[in-house]
Amino acid sequence: MKLLEQIWVVIIMNLRSIPQRMGMSLATIFAVAAVVGVLLFFLAMGNGFKDTLEGAGSENIAVVTRVGSQSEINSVLSREQINLMSNAPGVARNNEGTPIYSGELYVIVDGYKKTNGSKVNIPMRGLSTDGFSLRDNVAITEGRVFTPGRNELIVGESVLKQFSGFELGKKITFGKTTWEVVGVFSTGGSAFDSELWADTRTVQDQFRRGNSFQTMRIQLETPGDVQSLVDYAEADPRLNIKIETEADYFSAQGDALNNIVYFGWGISIIMGMGALAGALNTMYTSVAARAGEIATLRAIGFSNISAFFGTVAEAIILALIGGAAGIAIIYLMVDGTSTATIGSSFTQVVFSFTLSSELLQQGFWLALSIGMIGGFFPAFRAARMPVVTAFE
Amino acid sequence: MGDVYLIFKNITRKKLRLILTLFATFIAFMIYGVMTSFQSALDAGVELSADDRLVVVNKINFTQSLPISYVNRIQNIDGIVGISHQNWFGGYYQEPQNAMPIFAVQQETFFDVYDELVMPEEQKEAWLKNRQGLLVGEKAAQNFGWKVGDRIPISSNIFSKKSGGSTWDFDVVAIYSAVDPQIDTSGVYFHFKYFDEARTFGQNTIGLIGVRTADPSLNEQVIAAIDDQFANSPFETETVPEKAFTKAFIEQIGNIGLIITFVVLAAFFIILVIVGNSMALAIRERTNEIAVMKTLGFQSGRIFRMVLGESLITALIGGGLGLFMATVLITAVSEALPQFPTLIIDGPIILEAIAIMLGLGLVTGIIPAVSALRLNIVTALSR
């Protein structure tokens, strides 16, 4: 008999006998499912964060903040600084020659979660009409844009989904001032969808911010090139500011949240070792249970290589079934659901759990590794099973 | 005593299986220990909040400021025995990653409200007297390697100084510890006056007012008195018990903490199922032997105890090692990551873990033990 044929026969035989060792085999499947499930859970979370924050950043836009502030909330810019910067070389201009920029004010207001009613920080951004053109894919999905000078605001889609009280037409009171929701906007799932937007001047007045801003967004003449702006700012002592592309700004904001992914890998590897111990136990038991069988095959001329591969294949198949179960559970339960957490601007960032095919592959490889290692050592024992065992 | 020897012999018969089983139990309890201590550290902030302490913040959101004059207007309200205001400074030491919870506080009244901080009397005096004095928590001091007498710069990511720059100089004059080890001592406090006079914007505004009531039963009444006073003013206030404030703060992180704990604990129980399975199997395999032992005159009860003892001992050894490792790990983590809350594996966590180990031992041992008890010698041997 050819070797491949022998291996095939042994594999089929092993698989057929799995029901006799149902308990242990199920335990391995469970273990691998749990490990793969936990890993994918964390990866999907990290992936969701990344989509939300990276989707928000553009190379065409420069973000200006005060030196030393790590996020918008800590930044302060004066009207004078904004005016100075708008004349910097490298700022794109429209057909009339007016520079395209938006001075923005970022205040934090209270919102309430739909799920448990707990109070959370929601960012409210004051921006000019140019602020809309400085963001990709802004679309008003319901209602209309706020009217400058009036206490009107529009809400991001994610805010509407996660927090209560921001439905179209609702009146909301922040301190003494009342605002009316006149529209809903979407930026295609980016971090901006977690915000409320209103007119800059109105926000300045109603929140007593005088003529101060927190950030400035500038349309760049050359995408990605902020150098001329930086040089300009450095030459003027009044401009104590930091300039970076929006893409860089958001990727820095996402850094802290990336730790979730590291944590996920860490815990999955530790748990994976636990699962591996379980898989090894299962496979050693399987080899022990089939000792007579394996020895008999050897006695009638099957090679020890076929015994080896038969055992490895059994382990791999059990692990892959477990992995598939883990993937399916996470896919059905978690993919697409959204949640919110606090981001580096001290406000809620709403994001979705998103599984990508790349993540599914990582889950698959993890399951496969557990199966291979879990089968390898017991397979050695099977391959070295003395023929005499058959006659005991 | 012969039984213990037999149990030991039985457990170590298949060394490889024993090691694998112990290892899986070890991993499971290690994860359990780390996660529960993490969860308990998160909850500790809420549990350890004083019941007689209230927090007054701007109604719009606690990041908005209040006028400093509010302190005087509140302090004469009946039922208040202490009042002190403070402002978040957004400070970090040398690098932005070395952030710390640092507050500019009204130092004269600070201890009237926050009396859980303990320090030598002369250090307290020194801090009260020194305008640039810094009162540092034990943990913060340890994280940054500060000791009393050091002069250190702290940068703010919010406030710059009139004299230029956003780096402020301080003298470390006092280091406090707390009455309870789980109270977070990573906080740093300095004089509000120094802060208010030197900052470029926001003079005469404060972030938060801490209020101590004479008795927690007066809280409701005091809350109403404060908030009514400022209703319909440009700066409306919201007053809440400190416990609620801390809880709301933690909830900002979202359900993520809860979800992570849930996911990890679910995985923990799955590992236990696997371990249990292989432990049960180890005993089932020995049916023949148990029959032989019975034939030799071993009492059924004695065999029952031995089988159960075997699974209990395995669970306790594996679990105990895991819990020990968890303690080692969290101590290392607490030292390596200053931003983390202090993690402690305390009595309740250990007791809970032991209860789970006993449960695991019982559940996995009971079925084989009962079948051993009932085992009919003739059927067993004729198999």
Side-chain angles (χ1 to χ4, degrees), chain B residues 126-256:
Chain B
W127 181 65
L128 290 173
K129 270 189 224 133
N130 187 339
R131 216 177 126 78
Q132 296 189 7
L134 205 58
L135 170 61
V136 180
E138 245 177 358
K139 197 169 168 210
Q142 186 198 336
N143 291 340
F144 302 117
W146 298 338
K147 49 194 185 311
V148 170
D150 286 356
R151 185 162 177 87
I152 50 145
I154 291 181
S155 308
S156 168
N157 57 30
I158 309 173
F159 298 102
S160 48
K161 293 199 312 191
K162 281 179 190 156
S163 55
S166 51
T167 301
W168 302 54
D169 291 316
F170 294 101
D171 297 312
V172 177
V173 291
I175 291 178
Y176 69 86
S177 56
V179 285
D180 185 301
Q182 263 201 315
I183 291 181
D184 186 31
T185 57
S186 54
V188 179
Y189 305 97
F190 69 101
H191 291 209
F192 184 81
K193 276 195 191 118
Y194 171 44
F195 166 69
D196 204 37
E197 284 165 19
R199 63 173 160 171
T200 45
F201 67 92
Q203 265 79 16
N204 295 321
T205 63
I206 51 177
L208 176 157
I209 305 172
V211 169
R212 171 154 288 219
T213 58
D215 189 275
S217 64
L218 297 174
N219 286 0
E220 286 296 316
Q221 180 195 328
V222 173
I223 288 172
I226 297 174
D227 289 345
D228 288 351
Q229 188 172 357
F230 303 110
N232 297 319
S233 79
F235 294 89
E236 289 187 294
T237 58
E238 176 166 274
T239 308
V240 288
E242 189 179 65
K243 207 163 243 173
F245 186 77
T246 318
K247 192 152 174 269
F249 202 83
I250 291 170
E251 277 177 356
Q252 291 270 339
I253 302 168
N255 306 333
I256 289 180

Side-chain angles (χ1 to χ4, degrees), chain B residues 50 52-54 79-83 112-116 210-214:
Chain B
D52 57 356
R53 209 146 57 199
L54 308 175
I80 293 182
V81 293
I83 177 164
D112 299 346
V113 181
Y114 300 93
D115 58 354
E116 71 270 40
V211 169
R212 171 154 288 219
T213 58

Side-chain angles (χ1 to χ4, degrees), chain A residues 10 13-15 17-18 20-21 283-297 307 310-312 314 378 382 385 389:
Chain A
V10 176
M13 215 172 69
N14 284 357
L15 295 184
S17 68
I18 283 180
Q20 290 162 26
R21 303 179 300 276
M283 293 317 295
Y284 275 121
T285 311
S286 163
V287 171
R290 290 181 292 112
E293 204 175 292
I294 296 169
T296 309
L297 286 175
T311 308
V312 171
E314 182 183 339
M385 189 72 71
T389 317

Side-chain angles (χ1 to χ4, degrees), chain A residues 73 106-112 119-125 153 155 159 163 166 172-175 177 179 194-197 203 206-207 209 345-348, chain B residues 58-64 252:
Chain A
I73 182 69
Y106 190 86
V107 293
I108 299 182
V109 295
D110 284 342
Y112 297 87
K119 191 156 92 175
V120 292
N121 292 347
I122 297 186
M124 176 161 171
R125 186 185 295 278
L153 56 82
V155 298
V159 174
F163 310 108
F166 295 104
I172 306 158
T173 307
F174 300 130
T177 61
W179 300 73
S194 312
E195 301 182 347
L196 310 175
W197 285 0
V203 174
Q206 302 294 5
F207 287 86
R209 292 301 170 95
S345 273
F346 208 58
T347 52
Q348 295 286 308
Chain B
N58 189 310
K59 192 178 177 185
I60 298 173
N61 182 268
F62 62 83
T63 57
Q64 313 270 340
Q252 291 270 339

Side-chain angles (χ1 to χ4, degrees), chain A residues 1-53:
Chain A
M1 221 178 338
K2 277 195 227 100
L3 187 60
L4 278 178
E5 228 170 287
Q6 279 189 8
I7 294 174
W8 182 245
V9 170
V10 176
I11 289 176
I12 295 298
M13 215 172 69
N14 284 357
L15 295 184
R16 285 220 177 124
S17 68
I18 283 180
Q20 290 162 26
R21 303 179 300 276
M22 210 52 193
M24 287 301 281
S25 305
L26 273 181
T28 301
I29 292 175
F30 267 138
V32 178
V35 173
V36 171
V38 168
L39 176 70
L40 286 183
F41 174 84
F42 284 105
L43 293 184
M45 192 145 90
N47 203 27
F49 275 138
K50 215 172 72 183
D51 280 357
T52 303
L53 288 172

